[in-house]
Amino acid sequence: MTTPGKQAGLLLDEPLIFERSRAGRSGVAVPAAAADAVEFLPAELLRPPIEGFPEVSEPEVLRHFLRLSQWNYGTATTFYPLGSCTMKYNPVVNELVARLPGFADLHPLVPDDAAQGALALMWELEGMLADVSGMTAVSLQPAAGAQGELAGMKMIRAYHADRGRPRKKVLIPASAHGTNPASAALCGYSAVQVQGNRIGLIEADAVRRAMDDDVAALMITNPNTLGLFEREIVQVAAAVHDRGGLVYLDGANLNALLGVARPAHMGADVLQFNLHKTFSTPHGGGGPGAGPIGAADTLEPYLPTPRLVRRGDRFAWSDDFPRSIGRVRSFHGNFGMLIRAYAYILAMGGDGLAAATRMAVLAANYIRKRLGGAYHLTYPDTCMHECVFSDRGLEPHGVKTLDIAKRLLDYGFYAPTIYFPLVVSGAIMIEPTETESKETLDEFVDAMLTIAREARETPLVLQEAPTRTPVSRLDEARAARHPVLRWKA
């Protein structure tokens, strides 16, 4: 099944399961008793035969899906330097803990009295997140970082509505995550862009000029998406507060602050925790995730309900929070993710979390320094947990950022985030995280240096990449605009 001249070794050219189908071939013989059971089921519960359903043997099914699983890149198989979306290793022990029957088999509608262990875990996790962020209180309910953002903006809207002055605008830096203006717009606000200075940072004076009595909040990421710490964050927050606005701090990059600095001390009124980014829960494929939100005193009354309350040594859910924005997620959020984050924090401890932060920053700056001579750095200052290069200087050779990313696949690395942040033309954003060894970082850097040399000497190699993957370069625009989601003969 290996295609000569295209692939080598055990890299297999796998067809679709439908293409393997042969009429009459079966993997499992269904017992007669089970087949007869359809006679006792209501007709409306039975589906009609599926036309074109693949007919394959059991070994073919096993091998097919096992091979597909081996095509899947992830932190368990390779270095995954996806900037702005921390992809740290997920400890296996966390998976084991989340699968303990007392957690995994717990029904979400079980009475509080029968779920005290789970409620105690959630109570303690709320406290841990409040401690690392400096926030007054935390809700674990949002199912993802983006939903946490939306919930936070709803809280800000409710705060201003309570004061009889709803306001109309939200300030957002040009380097912000795309979810920021989306969350603001969903809450009825107009997004007003604030430009950074020549070194990629937001200045307090720029925020003061943009502030007026119609600005509800500033949404700011710190460290920002350029991987830079916002040096004037305290003054920026003061400029917003002085005019009655609030500060939403996008906690997506909390992995660069954990155990070292608290967003509440920077003036944040609300933030979301992306558990997959900072606390090693799985990420990818759209979830399930978890995006708890933390609130300072100003916004604590507006946190989603139900909220956990403690009465003596017992825990219970309560809806007795009249100014809450209400429920934002069914049941109690994605509980399995909360268990994993809880286990990670306990295993690391306070000193461990701070050490991880420092290692993440060190790793990013190691890559920044080693690659700085080969790739252009728009903002060359010391970075935090991620560094952003560009394809500037490679234009005369006809090489673009996309070519570099595709060529990395040939060297066995997942591609970094590309073309983001938008304020850097041809951006290549690399986030190594604290979990990679120096040897892995060196292998990655060596591959990037080789690609930089290829770009100048043999650019066609990059333009035709990847050549050592199951499929070659795809037409991504066509795939996005005309997806083929169902196989037809």
Side-chain angles (χ1 to χ4, degrees):
M1 288 182 286
T2 299
T3 303
K6 180 183 178 185
Q7 297 163 343
L10 290 176
L11 190 60
L12 304 172
D13 192 4
E14 189 69 25
L16 299 176
I17 192 72
F18 295 93
E19 294 169 334
R20 288 191 176 280
S21 179
R22 297 293 182 273
R25 192 169 292 173
S26 174
V28 177
V30 180
D36 293 342
V38 298
E39 298 178 9
F40 301 98
L41 295 173
E44 65 271 20
L45 296 182
L46 299 176
R47 64 160 173 76
I50 300 174
E51 184 180 355
F53 199 75
E55 299 178 65
V56 289
S57 70
E58 182 172 332
E60 287 174 311
V61 173
L62 175 67
R63 291 167 184 168
H64 174 73
F65 286 105
L66 185 58
R67 287 169 186 148
L68 291 186
S69 73
Q70 292 170 334
W71 287 11
N72 189 37
Y73 275 97
T75 53
T77 55
T78 185
F79 175 37
Y80 209 109
L82 203 61
S84 199
C85 211
T86 310
M87 291 297 211
K88 63 168 70 177
Y89 171 70
N90 306 144
V92 176
V93 67
N94 295 353
E95 301 302 309
L96 298 175
V97 173
R99 285 165 173 72
L100 290 174
F103 292 139
D105 298 340
L106 191 64
H107 195 282
L109 293 179
V110 72
D112 293 351
D113 285 343
Q116 287 297 299
L119 298 188
L121 182 150
M122 297 173 79
W123 175 269
E124 291 182 18
L125 180 58
E126 286 185 359
M128 292 170 176
L129 296 179
D131 188 30
V132 299
S133 64
M135 290 294 171
T136 302
V138 170
S139 166
L140 305 174
Q141 201 175 110
Q147 195 189 23
E149 261 186 45
L150 179 61
M153 291 309 296
K154 285 186 172 183
M155 292 162 60
I156 288 173
R157 184 177 63 182
Y159 169 90
H160 288 298
D162 263 3
R163 283 148 184 80
R165 189 76 169 84
R167 304 197 175 201
K168 301 175 182 175
K169 299 183 291 187
V170 170
L171 304 183
I172 300 178
S175 61
H177 291 106
T179 50
N180 291 174
S183 297
L186 284 171
C187 289
Y189 292 116
S190 298
V192 178
Q193 194 173 89
V194 180
Q195 293 295 334
N197 61 19
R198 63 177 179 78
I199 58 172
L201 303 175
I202 295 297
E203 294 181 345
D205 285 343
V207 173
R208 285 193 192 94
R209 288 193 295 272
M211 279 299 300
D212 60 35
D213 293 341
D214 257 345
V215 174
L218 166 75
M219 296 186 82
I220 187 168
T221 306
N222 194 30
N224 64 26
T225 60
L226 294 165
L228 305 175
F229 186 83
E230 294 287 358
R231 299 175 190 171
E232 295 189 20
I233 184 65
V234 174
Q235 294 87 342
V236 164
V240 175
H241 291 150
D242 287 346
R243 297 296 296 269
L246 298 173
V247 175
Y248 184 99
L249 195 142
D250 185 328
N253 292 340
L254 193 63
N255 199 47
L257 303 177
L258 207 61
V260 177
R262 291 185 170 102
H265 297 172
M266 303 172 193
D269 295 291
V270 58
L271 88 163
Q272 97 279 359
F273 305 85
N274 294 46
L275 295 191
H276 65 275
K277 290 188 174 187
T278 311
F279 300 101
S280 84
T281 66
H283 182 226
I293 46 178
D297 290 344
T298 45
L299 291 176
E300 187 266 342
Y302 302 94
L303 281 168
T305 53
R307 290 178 59 185
L308 263 178
V309 294
R310 184 172 188 169
R311 299 177 180 125
D313 60 351
R314 307 292 288 177
F315 302 93
W317 293 108
S318 172
D319 286 299
D320 189 19
F321 295 91
R323 287 192 281 170
S324 166
I325 61 169
R327 180 181 284 281
V328 299
R329 177 70 166 86
S330 58
F331 302 118
H332 313 303
N334 288 325
F335 180 55
M337 295 300 112
L338 307 181
I339 298 168
R340 291 171 172 88
Y342 178 80
Y344 175 76
I345 295 172
L346 281 186
M348 296 293 287
D351 292 341
L353 294 175
T357 295
R358 294 189 174 98
M359 285 300 295
V361 173
L362 177 63
N365 280 286
Y366 181 70
I367 287 181
R368 180 182 63 84
K369 289 292 288 184
R370 282 207 61 193
L371 291 182
Y375 293 91
H376 180 258
L377 274 166
T378 305
Y379 302 102
D381 282 355
T382 300
C383 64
M384 296 293 285
H385 61 307
E386 59 193 5
C387 46
V388 182
F389 299 93
S390 79
D391 59 2
R392 184 175 170 184
L394 298 178
E395 304 97 324
H397 308 285
V399 171
K400 299 179 179 178
T401 289
L402 181 66
D403 303 318
I404 298 166
K406 295 298 183 185
R407 186 58 173 158
L408 257 179
L409 302 180
D410 282 339
Y411 285 96
F413 294 102
Y414 195 86
T417 294
I418 58 174
Y419 299 113
F420 182 82
L422 301 178
V423 292
V424 176
S425 177
I428 308 169
M429 180 192 282
I430 299 169
E431 181 171 3
T433 82
E434 71 279 9
T435 52
E436 300 301 333
S437 68
K438 181 176 180 298
E439 289 77 13
T440 297
L441 298 183
D442 283 335
E443 290 169 4
F444 174 77
V445 168
D446 290 345
M448 286 289 289
L449 293 175
T450 300
I451 292 170
R453 187 176 68 251
E454 291 175 340
R456 293 173 172 82
E457 297 175 356
T458 55
L460 191 60
V461 171
L462 273 68
Q463 292 158 356
E464 294 181 345
T467 59
R468 297 176 59 80
T469 51
V471 294
S472 57
R473 190 176 300 203
L474 302 175
D475 185 336
E476 296 181 359
R478 183 181 175 193
R481 294 172 184 173
H482 304 286
V484 179
L485 303 178
R486 185 173 183 273
W487 179 83
K488 290 183 179 179

